[in-house]
Amino acid sequence: MLSQWLFYGFATLAVVGALGLILSRHPMNGAMCFVITLISQAGLYALLSASLLFALQLIVYAGAIMSLILFIIMFLNIQPADLPQETGRWGFLIGGSLAVVPIGLLLLKIVRSLPAGETTIIGNGFGHVKSVGLVLFRDWLLPFEIVSILLLVALVGAIVLAGKKETIQ
Amino acid sequence: MTSDLVFLLPLVTVTIGAILLMLLSAFEKIRIEVSSALAMGIFAVAFLIQLVPVGPDDVRPFVSLFNGILLVSDFTRIASLIIIACGFFTAMSSISYFRQNSFATLEFFSLMTFAVSGMILLTMAQELITVFIALETVSLSIYVLVGCNRRSVLSTEAILKYLILGAFAGAFFTMGAALVYAGVGSTGFAAITDAIAMGGLLQNPALAGGLLFILFALFFKVTVFPFHAWVVDVYDGAPIPVTGFMATALKTSIFAVLANVLLLADDIRGTWVDMLFYLTVFTLFAGNLIAIGQNSLKRMLAASGIVHTGYLLIALIAVSGDSFSGSVILYYLAAYAASTLGIFASLSYLSGNDEKRRDFDDFKGLAKVRPYSAAVIAIFLLSMAGIPPTAGFMGKLYIIVTAFQAGQTALAVLGIVSSILSMWYYLRLIIAMYFHESEDAFEVSSSRSAPYCAFILAACVLAMGLYPVAI
């Protein structure tokens, strides 16, 4: 019963954080709202007994990545005067949300069709480093390896787009 | 075990080549000609390896190690042949382009090779998470290639639009994969087929909804009607060789995935055949309408790419799932790739410094000054318009005949109507080239690699028109 309430609490917080990210005008407020979403997601992982994922979510996403984002926002030193004038913002928001209503209804129907489950603590080291590592290297070896190519591409791309502007003749 | 490596050798060659090119781009002494030649060499080797006929038809290399995630069949082999050839010709023609546009970096060729390796993986992947990672590898490299001219505002606009909308499509794909997992308990294609065979698609709403989201994400990448809005601006802003590469290699790989997903079970196509029908019709005519209104060549070619997507969708709806060899789709993709790459190679050669010749009017009287270039461009345009004896005509013929045989008469007729409409904008360039006096001296790039590339492709377009395919 408690886990059910915890689930609703975390889920609501995650959605509220995401709404705040979209609706807040200053990027810093948006980033802080995003932290709420990331932390409540970590809570959801904990409810699913995914302890490694819970720790990674807190350390990597809510910790490292968010501090980088905050660092960049502070680095840019955005003043209220620098923000663009968003006229007709509410019109776009309402129009956009009306446009995604059918997708939302479809998703509701799908979620209703899923079998109900009770969140219980799974034993046997489920979600620990060892079991996750075994699954990763036994069942998911190929995707795990090709992620390294994806990261390499992202690295090279970042250098091409943001590096010093000099050209080769 | 070791013999399994043979099936993956083209992929391995291209990936190692990409890493090699990446390492080489750290050296300042290397010129872009060297890098381009190396990339061409890598693609040529991979192409030759892929051509070698090996073993039985459908093989799952390293089945115990990779859990059957990869599947090599004749379909994936030919699709990757087309993709590798697109990479080869793009690397070849970009030299001419970079002589006139001075923003070349060595990483350009490395990223393009990475994109090709992701695309080959995309054709072989039989599992949604692997498809997603390969798709993102391809997308990330192409985002950077689109924006690699950092001094151009158009290019920056293009990369921003493509990045944000592409991320949106990627999110849709992930949500779809999550829903499929919720419905089936696995993301493998084999498990999805089994689940559909057990109770039908609509008995499992999570699976049906998930597949629908995945289809939408793929439709975004190949610019099917409601998801086509980004393509004109992005193709316009990207450097010419990159536009050609996107229009051909990317489309081939995504269509391979679409065919893999749609043909998992007959039920998938059967359930959504009405939706696919209307999407196809709107794609054909929206593309034609947009293309007719354009004055810039690149924008016209982007919009005509939407129309060609429509033809490929007709083929996807019409091919029979039981004896799927994909020959009609692959033939059309190869014919379209040869003509499109040829046009973009010619533009790389002729567009002048900083792409100053952009519009139809800028090419007035080209035939008087550069008769060979004009003739080659005319061949490509006739092939895209579907006029015999070119490969484009045969491709359209096969698609329309397949549609008739499958009972999709309405689609076949609409395909012919759209083909007639498309003459308007293809012939417009031919008229501009041949029936006007030239006002321009048409000075060209100092490198002749792009014209050679265009002549080879023109020969391919004519030769492929003579090569019959079993429908």
Side-chain angles (χ1 to χ4, degrees):
Chain A
M1 203 57 209
L2 175 68
S3 66
Q4 200 111 65
W5 287 112
L6 276 175
F7 169 77
Y8 285 123
F10 282 131
T12 319
L13 270 181
V15 174
V16 167
L19 278 178
L21 172 62
I22 303 171
L23 295 178
S24 52
R25 197 167 143 70
H26 197 283
M28 188 59 101
N29 298 343
M32 294 323 281
C33 290
F34 191 39
V35 177
I36 300 175
T37 303
L38 289 175
I39 292 177
S40 30
Q41 269 182 335
L44 291 176
Y45 293 149
L47 279 179
L48 293 168
S49 320
S51 49
L52 176 68
L53 220 52
F54 165 76
L56 284 182
Q57 175 79 10
L58 282 183
I59 298 170
V60 177
Y61 286 90
I65 293 179
M66 271 325 290
S67 45
L68 268 182
I69 292 179
L70 289 180
F71 182 72
I72 291 167
I73 293 174
M74 288 193 245
F75 192 70
L76 292 174
N77 189 21
I78 298 166
Q79 303 296 325
D82 301 330
L83 296 172
Q85 286 296 322
E86 294 172 284
T87 49
R89 175 160 163 262
W90 289 101
F92 279 120
L93 269 176
I94 293 167
S97 12
L98 283 180
V100 294
V101 161
I103 300 176
L105 290 178
L106 177 69
L107 280 176
L108 266 183
K109 193 173 159 61
I110 292 168
V111 170
R112 280 221 197 90
S113 79
L114 294 176
E118 188 64 32
T119 44
T120 47
I121 295 172
I122 307 168
N124 303 329
F126 173 86
H128 288 187
V129 182
K130 186 179 173 189
S131 51
V132 172
L134 282 176
V135 170
L136 217 51
F137 283 97
R138 269 192 197 143
D139 301 344
W140 298 96
L141 181 64
L142 181 79
F144 180 77
E145 293 297 338
I146 57 175
V147 162
S148 57
I149 296 186
L150 177 64
L151 293 177
L152 211 54
V153 169
L155 196 67
V156 176
I159 291 170
V160 170
L161 284 183
K164 261 193 286 180
K165 293 189 185 183
E166 50 185 347
T167 49
I168 302 156
Q169 291 309 310
Chain B
M1 190 73 178
T2 42
S3 64
D4 279 4
L5 192 62
V6 175
F7 299 103
L8 294 183
L9 214 49
L11 175 66
V12 174
T13 315
V14 173
T15 313
I16 292 178
I19 295 171
L20 203 69
L21 280 168
M22 181 191 79
L23 293 177
L24 277 184
S25 54
F27 295 92
E28 287 184 354
K29 290 254 172 68
I30 294 181
R31 291 151 45 88
I32 60 160
E33 282 81 1
V34 178
S35 215
S36 155
L38 197 63
M40 278 162 63
I42 291 159
F43 290 133
V45 170
F47 190 87
L48 291 177
I49 295 172
Q50 188 71 278
L51 268 185
V52 176
V54 272
D57 190 21
D58 288 6
V59 185
R60 288 182 187 272
F62 299 107
V63 67
S64 58
L65 203 59
F66 291 166
N67 276 303
I69 283 174
L70 295 182
L71 175 77
V72 180
S73 65
D74 280 345
F75 180 70
T76 70
R77 282 193 197 114
I78 299 170
S80 35
L81 277 181
I82 300 174
I83 292 166
I84 293 170
C86 291
F88 180 85
F89 288 115
T90 309
M92 190 167 169
S93 63
S94 55
I95 285 298
S96 289
Y97 180 79
F98 284 133
R99 287 281 171 84
Q100 296 174 315
N101 298 270
S102 57
F103 57 86
T105 52
L106 292 173
E107 287 92 350
F108 179 90
F109 297 99
S110 162
L111 282 169
M112 206 182 70
T113 322
F114 271 124
V116 169
S117 94
M119 287 167 187
I120 300 174
L121 198 63
L122 211 47
T123 61
M124 296 197 278
Q126 294 283 313
E127 195 271 330
L128 288 173
I129 295 175
T130 315
V131 170
F132 178 70
I133 298 172
L135 193 67
E136 286 304 299
T137 312
V138 175
S139 308
L140 270 182
S141 5
I142 290 183
Y143 296 148
V144 181
L145 290 179
V146 166
C148 70
N149 182 5
R150 284 188 290 156
R151 264 167 277 150
S152 150
V153 184
L154 269 183
S155 184
T156 314
E157 183 200 348
I159 186 178
L160 198 67
K161 276 189 178 163
Y162 195 30
L163 181 69
I164 290 173
L165 291 174
F168 203 68
F172 257 73
F173 190 97
T174 343
M175 189 159 76
L179 288 175
V180 168
Y181 185 78
V184 183
S186 164
T187 49
F189 286 0
I192 297 174
T193 315
D194 291 345
I196 293 172
M198 271 198 357
L201 182 63
L202 292 181
Q203 297 306 309
N204 196 338
L207 173 61
L211 283 178
L212 197 63
F213 282 128
I214 289 170
L215 280 189
F216 284 165
L218 295 175
F219 282 168
F220 168 84
K221 295 279 179 194
V222 287
T223 66
V224 175
F225 163 65
F227 316 101
H228 67 285
W230 58 277
V231 70
V232 178
D233 284 338
V234 172
Y235 278 26
D236 192 30
I240 290 172
V242 177
T243 316
F245 184 66
M246 276 172 79
T248 54
L250 184 63
K251 196 168 269 181
T252 309
S253 60
I254 307 285
F255 258 99
V257 182
L258 261 180
N260 284 344
V261 172
L262 270 181
L263 300 172
L264 278 179
D266 276 344
D267 216 15
I268 300 180
R269 260 187 326 161
T271 311
W272 287 319
V273 76
D274 285 338
M275 178 190 85
L276 289 172
F277 176 85
Y278 287 111
L279 286 185
T280 309
V281 174
F282 280 120
T283 307
L284 283 173
F285 289 93
N288 269 324
L289 277 181
I290 297 171
I292 286 173
Q294 302 300 333
N295 273 323
S296 150
L297 263 185
K298 257 162 119 188
R299 295 177 82 89
M300 181 277 278
L301 288 169
S304 83
I306 305 177
V307 184
H308 290 285
T309 299
Y311 290 117
L312 286 160
L313 277 181
I314 297 181
L316 267 186
I317 297 175
V319 288
S320 62
D322 307 328
S323 58
F324 174 68
S325 61
S327 55
V328 177
I329 295 172
L330 289 173
Y331 186 89
Y332 193 86
L333 279 169
Y336 170 71
S339 336
T340 309
L341 276 175
I343 288 226
F344 281 105
S346 318
L347 288 182
S348 301
Y349 182 58
L350 292 168
S351 64
N353 290 334
D354 299 324
E355 298 187 23
K356 66 177 178 194
R357 295 191 195 94
R358 313 179 62 90
D359 295 347
F360 284 96
D361 290 346
D362 293 336
F363 288 87
K364 269 185 183 167
L366 180 70
K368 307 276 190 314
V369 187
R370 303 204 166 268
Y372 292 116
S373 297
V376 167
I377 292 180
I379 292 175
F380 295 133
L381 287 172
L382 292 178
S383 168
M384 288 170 95
I387 288 171
T390 53
F393 167 73
M394 298 305 278
K396 274 185 188 158
L397 181 72
Y398 290 139
I399 283 182
I400 286 164
V401 169
T402 320
F404 266 120
Q405 281 174 351
Q408 299 281 356
T409 321
L411 274 185
V413 172
L414 288 172
I416 296 170
V417 171
S418 128
S419 175
I420 295 167
L421 278 180
S422 70
M423 303 272 179
W424 167 268
Y425 44 84
Y426 292 129
L427 294 184
R428 196 174 152 201
L429 180 60
I430 295 183
I431 290 169
M433 288 191 308
Y434 277 91
F435 301 110
H436 285 278
E437 288 307 313
S438 61
E439 298 151 7
D440 197 339
F442 288 107
E443 87 289 348
V444 290
S445 169
S446 57
S447 162
R448 294 204 150 262
S449 67
Y452 287 137
C453 176
F455 278 111
I456 298 171
L457 285 165
C460 286
V461 166
L462 293 175
M464 268 164 51
L466 303 173
Y467 183 77
V469 167
I471 299 177

